[in-house]
C-alpha cells in the first residue's frame, strides 16, 4: 500500500513556513475574495495545501517542490493548524445554495480531509508521539523516472541537504516519554535508512558524469545519513523513559473514526460486525481445507498451503508473472474498466521500509504515463532462517497480495482516481477508501472466478481476509478494550493464521496505527453499498443476474476519487451520507 498518500496525507505535517508566509498570503487573499466561486476556492485550497506540504506536492508530481520538507518546528505546526482551521471556517461559512451537487460533494470531501488532518496533528498530537507521522522516504528521487538522472541527482542532493534540519525538528518534537512500540518503529526506520543512503543510493547516481555535482551529492548524502544516525541514537535514548501505554481510548478512537472516515457506528456494534465477519471467513476456511487437505487440521492445512513458495524463493519474479495473468483476467472477465496503459513495475522494497511486506507507489496525478512501483519486502536478514523462510509468502497468498496492490486493487484504483473529474479525487485518497477497495478486490476476484474454484487459491484469499479481520478487532481491542500487544499477537496466530514473525509485526503495527481497521471496515462498507446499489437497479444479491451490475458499480465507485466511503454512499444512493455495514 502507499502509506505516502492515504496515511501520510491523512496525518500530513505542517508545511514549509517560508512558503506559508511568503507564498500563501496572495493565494489565500485571492481565495477570500472568491469564496462564492467554488472552482477558484478549490484551486486556491490546493495550491495552499501543496505549498504547506511540499513533500506531498512533489510526490504527486509537482516537480517545483523537489527537495523541500514541511516546517515541523513548533511555529510551523502552529501555522499549519491555523491554516487548516481557517480553510475549514471558510468552507463551512460558504453559501451552498448556488453550488451544484458535485460541488457540494467536494465541499464535504474538503471538510472531511481537514477534519482528519486536524485530528492527527492536534487532537491525537502525533507530531509529538509518533515517528510514523514524519515523511522522510527518498524513494521518489531514486525510482521514479520523472527526469534525467543528473536532474534527479540534483533534486536528491537538495533533499539530502534539507534532511539535517528536518531531523533536528523531529528530534525536538519526539522528546518522550513515548510508547515503546513507537520507539521500536523509529529505530526500525531511521537507522536502516541511514545505512541505505550510504550503501545503496550512491549506486543509483554513479553514472552522472559531473565531478562537482557528484561531490555536492556525496557531501549532502553523508550529512543526511549522519543526521539519521543521530535521530536513531535519539530514539534509542528514549528507551530510558519509555512507557507501555499506547491506546487512544474509546473517546479518541471514536473521534478518529468520524474525523477521518465519517464513520459514526458505535464501537460495540463495530466490534460485533468484525467478529461476525471473522467467523464467516473462518467457516469458509474450514470448508476449503476439507477439500485441500482432507483429514488434516486447519493449522496443518495452512502449513501445506504456506509451504508452496514461489519458484526459487523469489516472490519478486513470481509477482511479475502474476501481474500479467491478473491484468488479463480483469479484462477477460470485464471486472472493471482499465483506463490507460500504465504499468506497475515490481521490485524489492528498500530495507528501511521492510516493515511493509508489500506496498505500491502509484503513478502521480501531475505526471503523465509514469510507471508505478509494486514493492515486495525481503525478510530481515538478522532473523533466524526458519523465521526468514516463513516470511516469504506462499504462491496463493502472494496472488491476493498482487490483487490487492495492483490488479484490480490499488494500482487500478489510482488509474481511476488520476482521471477523476475532480482534482480532489486525484489528490486526496483516504485510508478506508483505498485499503477498503483493495481488500474488497481480493474477495470479489475470487467470486469472479479467479482460481476456478481451486481450494488452495481460496485459502490464499481467506488467509488475507483473516489477517485484516484480526487487524480490525485488534485495533478496537488494543485502543478501546485493554487488549495487550501480546494478546493481539496471539489472536493473529490463532484466528489470523499468521506465523509468529508476521503476528508479532502485525500486533505492533496495531499499537502505532490504530486506523488499520480500515481494511475490513472499508471492505464491508463497499460490499454493503454494492448490494444496495445493485438492488436499487433490480439486481438483488440473491438474484441470478447480481454480478451483471458489478462492473458498472466498480466504475461508479472508483469515479469518486477517494473520499470517506459514507460520502460516496450518499452520492451513489442519493441519500444522506452514513456509515452502513
Amino acid at each position: 500500500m502507499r502509506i505516502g498518500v492515504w496515511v501520510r496525507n491523512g496525518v500530513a505535517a505542517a508545511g514549509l513556513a517560508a512558503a506559508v508566509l511568503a507564498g500563501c498570503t496572495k493565494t489565500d487573499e485571492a481565495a477570500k475574495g472568491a469564496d462564492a466561486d467554488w472552482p477558484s476556492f478549490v484551486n486556491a485550497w490546493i495550491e495552499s495545501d501543496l505549498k504547506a506540504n511540499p513533500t506531498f506536492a512533489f510526490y504527486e508530481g509537482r516537480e517545483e517542490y523537489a527537495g523541500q520538507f514541511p516546517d515541523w518546528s513548533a511555529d510551523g505546526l502552529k501555522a499549519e493548524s491555523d491554516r487548516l482551521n481557517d480553510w475549514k471556517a471558510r468552507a463551512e461559512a460558504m453559501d451552498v445554495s448556488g453550488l451544484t451537487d458535485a460541488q457540494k460533494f467536494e465541499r464535504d470531501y474538503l471538510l472531511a480531509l481537514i477534519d482528519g488532518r486536524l485530528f492527527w496533528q492536534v487532537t491525537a498530537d502525533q507530531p509529538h508521539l509518533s515517528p510514523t507521522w514524519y515523511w522522510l522516504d527518498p524513494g521518489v528521487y531514486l525510482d521514479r523516472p520523472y527526469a534525467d538522472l543528473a536532474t534527479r541527482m540534483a533534486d536528491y542532493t537538495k533533499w539530502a541537504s534539507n534532511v539535517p534540519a528536518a531531523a533536528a525538528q523531529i528530534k525536538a518534537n519526539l522528546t518522550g516519554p513515548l510508547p515503546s512500540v513507537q520507539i521500536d518503529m523509529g529505530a526500525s526506520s531511521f537507522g536502516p535508512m541511514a545505512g541505505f543512503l550510504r550503501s545503496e543510493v550512491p549506486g543509483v547516481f554513479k553514472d552522472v558524469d559531473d565531478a562537482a555535482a557528484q561531490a555536492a551529492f556525496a557531501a549532502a548524502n553523508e550529512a543526511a545519513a549522519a543526521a539519521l544516525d543521530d535521530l536513531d541514537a535519539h530514539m534509542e535514548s528514549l528507551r530510558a523513559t519509555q512507557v507501555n501505554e499506547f491506546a487512544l481510548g474509546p473517546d479518541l478512537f471514536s473521534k478518529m473514526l468520524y474525523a477521518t472516515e465519517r464513520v459514526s457506528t458505535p464501537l460495540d456494534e463495530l466490534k460485533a460486525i468484525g467478529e461476525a465477519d471473522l467467523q464467516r471467513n473462518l467457516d469458509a476456511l474450514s470448508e476449503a481445507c476439507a477439500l485441500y487437505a482432507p483429514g488434516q487440521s486447519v493449522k496443518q492445512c495452512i502449513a501445506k498451503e504456506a509451504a508452496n513458495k514461489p519458484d526459487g524463493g523469489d516472490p519478486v519474479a513470481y509477482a511479475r508473472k502474476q501481474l500479467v495473468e491478473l491484468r488479463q483476467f480483469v479484462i477477460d472477465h470485464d471486472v472493471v474498466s482499465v483506463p490507460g496503459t500504465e504499468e506497475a513495475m515490481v521490485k524489492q522494497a528498500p530495507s528501511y521500509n521492510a516493515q511493509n511486506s508489500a506496498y505500491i507507489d502509484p503513478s502521480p496525478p501531475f505526471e503523465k504515463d509514469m510507471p508505478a512501483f509494486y514493492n515486495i519486502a525481503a525478510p530481515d536478514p538478522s532473523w533466524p532462517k526458519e523465521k526468514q523462510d516463513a516470511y516469504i509468502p506462499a504462491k496463493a497468498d502472494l496472488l491476493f497480495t498482487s490483487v490487492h496492490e495492483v490488479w484490480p486493487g490499488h494500482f487500478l484504483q489510482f488509474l481511476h482516481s488520476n482521471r477523476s473529474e475532480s482534482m480532489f479525487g486525484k489528490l486526496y485518497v483516504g485510508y478506508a477508501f483505498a485499503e477498503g477497495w483493495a481488500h474488497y478486490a481480493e474477495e470479489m476476484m475470487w467470486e469472479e472466478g479467479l482460481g476456478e474454484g481451486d481450494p488452495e487459491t481460496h485459502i490464499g484469499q481467506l488467509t488475507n481476509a483473516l489477517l485484516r479481520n484480526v487487524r480490525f478487532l485488534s485495533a478496537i481491542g488494543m485502543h478501546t478494550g485493554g487488549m495487550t500487544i501480546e494478546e493481539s499477537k496471539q489472536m493473529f496466530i490463532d484466528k489470523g493464521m499468521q506465523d509468529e514473525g508476521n503476528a508479532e509485526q502485525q500486533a505492533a503495527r496495531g499499537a502505532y496505527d490504530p486506523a488499520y481497521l480500515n481494511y475490513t471496515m472499508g471492505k464491508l462498507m463497499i460490499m454493503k453499498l454494492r448490494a444496495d446499489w445493485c438492488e436499487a437497479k433490480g439486481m438483488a444479491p440473491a438474484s441470478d443476474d447480481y454480478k451483471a451490475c458489478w462492473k458498472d458499480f466498480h466504475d461508479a465507485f472508483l469515479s469518486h476519487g477517494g473520499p470517506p466511503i459514507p460520502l460516496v454512499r450518499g452520492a451513489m444512493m442519493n441519500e444522506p451520507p452514513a456509515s452502513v455495514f
Side-chain angles (χ1 to χ4, degrees):
M1 63 182 173
R2 178 174 69 168
I3 297 292
V5 169
W6 48 85
V7 177
R8 285 188 183 128
N9 183 47
V11 300
L16 189 66
V20 171
L21 296 176
C24 289
T25 303
K26 184 177 180 181
T27 301
D28 290 355
E29 288 300 323
K32 288 178 180 178
D35 278 359
D37 177 0
W38 181 250
S40 296
F41 187 88
V42 168
N43 290 337
W45 154 263
I46 289 172
E47 291 307 311
S48 169
D49 198 48
L50 296 178
K51 288 179 181 178
N53 298 285
T55 307
F56 168 65
F58 183 73
Y59 194 90
E60 296 302 299
R62 288 289 289 270
E63 294 176 22
E64 67 267 35
Y65 291 103
Q68 299 180 37
F69 286 93
D71 179 2
W72 292 320
S73 69
D75 288 344
L77 294 174
K78 177 65 165 56
E80 175 65 351
S81 62
D82 287 347
R83 184 185 75 88
L84 292 170
N85 279 310
D86 179 55
W87 279 98
K88 179 179 180 179
R90 209 179 302 168
E92 288 178 332
M94 180 173 288
D95 180 6
V96 300
S97 62
L99 300 184
T100 66
D101 287 344
Q103 290 170 340
K104 291 175 184 177
F105 182 88
E106 280 191 328
R107 177 177 172 272
D108 290 342
Y109 201 158
L110 170 61
L111 289 170
L113 171 68
I114 292 175
D115 282 350
R117 297 265 191 93
L118 287 170
F119 173 83
W120 289 116
Q121 181 181 320
V122 179
T123 308
D125 196 23
Q126 291 294 281
H128 299 102
L129 296 175
S130 177
T132 62
W133 195 79
Y134 298 97
W135 193 351
L136 290 172
D137 189 341
V140 65
Y141 302 98
L142 311 178
D143 294 333
R144 186 184 293 173
Y146 65 88
D148 61 79
L149 195 62
T151 299
R152 286 165 49 206
M153 187 173 84
D155 289 346
Y156 174 88
T157 300
K158 184 177 180 181
W159 176 88
S161 69
N162 286 328
V163 166
Q169 291 175 346
I170 297 171
K171 183 176 177 180
N173 289 339
L174 298 176
T175 57
L178 295 182
S180 56
V181 69
Q182 296 284 11
I183 296 172
D184 291 343
M185 185 60 197
S188 71
S189 300
F190 300 136
M193 188 182 294
F196 177 81
L197 263 56
R198 291 188 175 104
S199 64
E200 302 295 330
V201 175
V204 174
F205 300 119
K206 63 182 175 58
D207 293 331
V208 175
D209 187 17
D210 184 327
Q214 285 285 1
F217 156 77
N221 194 52
E222 177 52 35
L228 290 166
D229 280 337
D230 180 66
L231 192 52
D232 182 56
H234 171 69
M235 297 305 299
E236 290 295 337
S237 75
L238 295 177
R239 294 194 187 281
T241 59
Q242 71 182 24
V243 295
N244 291 325
E245 294 81 10
F246 57 81
L248 288 179
D251 182 58
L252 272 187
F253 194 86
S254 295
K255 287 180 179 177
M256 175 195 75
L257 292 176
Y258 187 77
T260 62
E261 302 297 345
R262 292 301 191 248
V263 169
S264 56
T265 308
L267 292 178
D268 57 350
E269 186 177 337
L270 270 184
K271 182 181 178 183
I273 289 167
E275 289 171 340
D277 197 61
L278 170 66
Q279 191 59 52
R280 176 179 74 93
N281 286 318
L282 285 171
D283 291 344
L285 179 64
S286 294
E287 294 176 8
C289 282
L291 297 173
Y292 178 64
Q296 298 186 26
S297 69
V298 170
K299 289 288 186 181
Q300 290 171 324
C301 166
I302 295 296
K304 178 182 175 182
E305 181 268 338
N308 189 12
K309 303 288 187 180
D311 301 337
D314 185 357
V316 171
Y318 200 77
R320 291 192 182 107
K321 177 176 177 290
Q322 287 178 334
L323 295 193
V324 174
E325 296 168 351
L326 286 171
R327 185 180 189 277
Q328 196 60 47
F329 183 94
V330 168
I331 293 170
D332 290 347
H333 289 253
D334 209 21
V335 172
V336 57
S337 296
V338 180
T341 59
E342 296 94 328
E343 295 289 340
M345 314 301 289
V346 189
K347 68 180 184 66
Q348 183 172 310
S351 58
Y352 64 83
N353 208 19
Q355 71 274 4
N356 268 347
S357 59
Y359 62 98
I360 194 157
D361 285 323
S363 306
F366 288 115
E367 299 277 7
K368 300 297 183 185
D369 300 320
M370 190 67 61
F373 293 93
Y374 172 23
N375 296 268
I376 299 174
D380 187 330
S382 68
W383 289 348
K385 186 178 186 303
E386 182 179 352
K387 189 174 179 181
Q388 290 187 53
D389 290 344
Y391 188 81
I392 297 172
K395 288 181 178 179
D397 179 45
L398 183 61
L399 175 65
F400 286 96
T401 300
S402 295
V403 167
H404 182 105
E405 300 297 340
V406 187
W407 296 112
H410 291 318
F411 175 71
L412 181 61
Q413 179 248 309
F414 274 91
L415 291 185
H416 279 263
S417 68
N418 284 349
R419 290 163 172 81
S420 172
E421 293 183 5
S422 166
M423 200 62 207
F424 266 80
K426 290 180 169 69
L427 282 173
Y428 304 115
V429 179
Y431 200 166
F433 187 100
E435 295 299 355
W437 165 262
H439 186 37
Y440 160 84
E442 298 165 27
E443 184 167 343
M444 178 270 293
M445 286 285 278
W446 167 254
E447 292 174 321
E448 284 280 11
L450 183 64
E452 299 179 335
D454 170 48
E456 181 178 2
T457 302
H458 197 194
I459 291 166
Q461 180 261 313
L462 289 167
T463 53
N464 275 275
L466 289 166
L467 169 68
R468 278 47 174 263
N469 284 138
V470 178
R471 284 180 181 173
F472 183 97
L473 294 171
S474 286
I476 296 173
M478 288 197 291
H479 287 278
T480 74
M483 179 186 289
T484 67
I485 293 177
E486 187 60 34
E487 288 171 338
S488 171
K489 174 184 172 181
Q490 196 60 47
M491 184 162 58
F492 276 108
I493 293 172
D494 295 340
K495 302 292 187 181
M497 306 301 161
Q498 298 298 303
D499 62 81
E500 184 176 353
N502 277 314
E504 183 177 304
Q505 184 186 62
Q506 292 293 329
R509 177 178 170 185
Y512 64 76
D513 178 14
Y516 81 159
L517 88 164
N518 278 320
Y519 292 79
T520 292
M521 189 170 77
K523 169 186 173 177
L524 295 179
M525 284 193 287
I526 294 170
M527 290 177 69
K528 176 60 174 171
L529 176 56
R530 182 186 71 187
D532 293 347
W533 191 84
C534 289
E535 185 168 12
K537 296 184 177 300
M539 291 169 278
S543 65
D544 292 337
D545 60 352
Y546 178 42
K547 289 184 182 179
C549 75
W550 286 14
K551 181 182 180 182
D552 288 342
F553 169 77
H554 296 154
D555 288 350
F557 180 81
L558 293 177
S559 72
H560 290 86
I565 294 171
L567 298 186
V568 181
R569 181 181 181 88
M572 292 182 66
M573 298 299 296
N574 193 27
E575 63 186 30
S579 50
V580 180
F581 296 90

